[in-house]
Amino acid sequence: MRIRYAGGPTAVLELGGVRLLTDPTFDEPGDYPIGSRKLTKTGVSGFGAAEVGRVDAVLLSHDQHPDNLDRAGRAYLSGVPLVLSTRAAAERLGAPVLALPDGESVKVGGVRVTGVPAQHGPDGTEHLVGEVTGFVLSGEGLPTVYVSGDNASLDVVRTVAARFGRIDVAVLFAGGARTPLVDGYLTLTSDDAAVAADLLGARHVVPLHFEHWAHFTHGRETLERAFEGFGERLSLLSPGESVTLS
């Protein structure tokens, strides 16, 4: 498996000859409105939409927040064959977005993509933050890969671990995101990401969603501290960097 990190929640995953892109965000730094509020992008992506190349599908955890799908990301979706996301995203965006509910699967080449839960904030905030999904990738002779999406709940991670057993590669959206919208974290903190990796028994951990936005309260340094002792199990990439996992 090969992972190339762009920045924020965006990475190209290559698995069994299939190329997948997570949450496309390619806009320049600046302020991006979200209702009456705004989110501020602070960093430049390691590569742009034009440099992604062909993909077989986009794994879109949700569409309602610009740090997971920005203007350039929305434009990019029109040129891909398939986008897997939430029911709400499929209703709002239309084709080529396909809803992938919890527990349902689709085949993309030789990769089975299964929808799994994600909780984008503390208990009881779903009506405020909106619907989010995660993904598990699997296939004959392939590693099992968990892509968390914007999930803040370790109970959700326990559910995924109980359902799928050991995860070979955990792609964890971290950053400890916080906004005035809710009282609590919207994504995993660095410490919770390390706990999640242990709950999953992950052989490899690749954090995403930990930099490039001002509402991320945890970052590269806190991840390094939280994952001290993980050694080569942790791949903490820089924008534009890639890693091959075996």
Side-chain angles (χ1 to χ4, degrees):
M1 180 181 186
R2 184 174 183 266
I3 299 178
R4 186 184 183 203
Y5 170 56
T10 309
V12 178
L13 315 182
E14 299 181 41
L15 180 67
V18 172
R19 301 185 82 244
L20 305 167
L21 179 70
T22 62
D23 288 11
T25 55
F26 302 110
D27 284 351
E28 294 300 315
D31 292 337
Y32 293 89
I34 176 171
S36 61
R37 298 169 291 112
K38 66 181 180 181
L39 298 179
T40 301
K41 187 172 185 179
T42 59
V44 179
S45 298
F47 53 88
E51 300 170 77
V52 171
R54 175 196 62 82
V55 299
D56 298 286
V58 170
L59 306 180
L60 178 63
S61 69
H62 61 300
D63 70 306
Q64 64 266 31
H65 299 145
D67 59 317
N68 295 87
L69 182 66
D70 60 15
R71 292 191 293 257
R74 287 174 183 270
Y76 178 82
L77 296 185
S78 64
V80 301
L82 177 65
V83 180
L84 300 173
S85 192
T86 64
R87 284 192 179 96
E91 292 171 358
R92 285 188 288 257
L93 299 176
V97 183
L98 175 69
L100 188 64
D102 178 21
E104 294 191 12
S105 300
V106 299
K107 290 292 289 293
V108 182
V111 176
R112 180 177 298 278
V113 184
T114 302
V116 296
Q119 182 176 312
H120 195 6
D123 292 345
T125 61
E126 292 86 350
H127 66 293
L128 295 172
V129 297
E131 187 181 7
V132 182
T133 191
F135 307 91
V136 169
L137 317 177
S138 59
E140 186 175 355
L142 299 177
T144 300
V145 182
Y146 169 51
V147 180
S148 72
D150 275 12
N151 171 60
S153 170
L154 289 175
D155 284 341
V156 164
V157 176
R158 292 184 181 95
T159 296
V160 172
R163 187 182 301 177
F164 292 92
R166 184 184 179 95
I167 295 292
D168 295 300
V169 181
V171 180
L172 300 177
F173 287 32
R178 297 198 71 163
T179 74
L181 183 66
V182 300
D183 183 16
Y185 291 105
L186 297 168
T187 55
L188 294 172
T189 66
S190 296
D191 287 341
D192 279 351
V195 173
D198 280 336
L199 289 171
L200 297 163
R203 293 193 299 113
H204 300 285
V205 184
V206 182
L208 301 181
H209 197 275
F210 62 88
E211 61 186 348
H212 288 180
W213 290 87
H215 63 293
F216 295 174
T217 65
H218 289 197
R220 188 174 299 272
E221 291 183 0
T222 57
L223 283 167
E224 289 173 345
R225 289 197 298 268
F227 280 88
E228 187 176 1
F230 273 64
E232 294 184 356
R233 290 173 62 195
L234 175 68
S235 294
L236 191 54
L237 302 176
S238 297
E241 188 179 5
S242 62
V243 62
T244 300
L245 306 173
S246 58

